[in-house]
Amino acid sequence: MQPETAFARISETALTATDPPNDYPDYVGTRLRAPKDPLVLLPASLSELTGPVYGNDALRETDADLTRQHAGDPLGERIIVTGRVLGSDGRPLRGQLVEIWQANAAGRYHHSVDTHDAPLDPNFTGGGRCLTDDDGTYRFVTVLPGAYPWQNHPNAWRPKHIHFSLFGRAFPERLVTQMYFPGDPLFPFDPIFNSIPDERVGDRLVSTFELGLTQPEWALGFRFDIVLGGREATPTEEPHDD
Ligand SMILES: [Fe+2]
C-alpha cells in the first residue's frame, strides 16, 4: 500500500549518504537524542497511509506570504524564496505540501522556549506553507531571518536559515531540512551545517541569490531547489528545534 513516490522510498530508509549522521558530537543535542541501537523499520499502518493530510482546501492565500499574516508589515528585509521540488529522476513533484518556519529579522522565534534577548515582531509569526504547482515550484514571501545564539557551545550562533518540511502523500513521508543564505560568515562555526559529511553536498542547502527573482523596489529573490533521492539529493535531517 506504500505510495510509489520519491518520499516513500526515501522515508523508508534511515539515512542516505548525503544526510548528516544522527550522532554528531559537536552538535550537542545529538548526543542525547541519537539512537544507540540499530534502527527498526516499523511497517506503516493502513491508517497512516490512507488518513487525511493537508490539501488545497486547508491552505489560505496568506499562508505563503509571511509578510501579510498580521495587520502591519513585519520589520526586516523582504525576500522571495522559491524553487522546485524534484524527484531523483529530475521530474517535478506536484501538489506537495511545503512548510517553512523561521526566526524573525532580529533572530528570534515566535515561540515560548525562545528566550533570545531580541525583540519579537507583532507582525511576524514565521510560519508558512504552500503546495507545489504542476512544475514542482513552491514560492514564499517572507523576511530575511536573523542569526541567533543557541548555546550549543560558547558563543554559538546559527547562520541565517529557514527550516523546510515536505510532506509526501501520507504523514510518515515527512522530510525536514534547512535552507541557508549565500556567503554567511557563520558557516565555518556551525556544527549543524558542518555535520553534513561532504562539503559539496552541504552546499546544496545554500540558496542562490537570483536577480531575476527579485521584484524591483520591493524584494530580493533566492532560489532553493530540493531534490529527493539520487546523487543530487538534498540532505535531510531529524526534526529538531535548532
Ligand atoms: Fe532554526
Side-chain angles (χ1 to χ4, degrees), residues 139-226:
R139 183 179 186 275
F140 292 102
V141 177
T142 183
V143 297
L144 186 69
Y148 59 80
W150 64 302
Q151 300 177 337
N152 179 76
H153 55 273
N155 200 19
W157 292 80
R158 293 294 334 274
K160 295 170 179 157
H161 61 277
I162 297 176
H163 297 269
F164 273 71
S165 164
L166 295 94
F167 271 105
R169 294 189 220 164
F171 278 106
E173 297 179 5
R174 187 181 184 218
L175 295 175
V176 175
T177 191
Q178 298 183 37
M179 179 200 111
Y180 298 89
F181 292 87
D184 197 308
L186 291 169
F187 286 151
F189 312 104
D190 183 48
I192 295 182
F193 182 75
N194 291 303
S195 67
I196 297 163
D198 186 317
E199 187 177 325
R200 290 166 299 175
V201 173
D203 287 344
R204 296 175 193 167
L205 297 182
V206 182
S207 60
T208 307
F209 171 71
E210 204 169 299
L211 195 63
L213 294 176
T214 64
Q215 289 199 11
E217 319 297 327
W218 195 72
L220 296 180
F222 294 87
R223 178 173 300 283
F224 180 55
D225 293 331
I226 299 170

Side-chain angles (χ1 to χ4, degrees), residues 2 11-12 39-45 48 172:
Q2 189 81 340
S11 56
E12 281 178 347
L39 299 181
V40 176
L41 182 62
L42 296 176
S45 69
E48 282 180 306

Side-chain angles (χ1 to χ4, degrees), residues 42-113:
L42 296 176
S45 69
L46 192 61
S47 61
E48 282 180 306
L49 298 178
T50 59
V53 294
Y54 297 112
N56 286 293
D57 55 346
L59 297 177
R60 294 165 299 184
E61 192 181 334
T62 54
D63 285 350
D65 187 342
L66 286 69
T67 69
R68 290 198 297 131
Q69 296 176 349
H70 297 276
D73 292 324
L75 294 172
E77 188 176 341
R78 189 185 296 114
I79 60 173
I80 296 162
V81 177
T82 186
R84 299 175 75 204
V85 181
L86 305 168
S88 59
D89 54 3
R91 284 189 299 183
L93 296 180
R94 306 178 175 90
Q96 306 289 341
L97 181 69
V98 181
E99 296 177 291
I100 62 170
W101 62 100
Q102 64 168 92
N104 67 23
R108 181 154 177 195
Y109 283 100
H110 184 83
H111 195 284
S112 58
V113 303

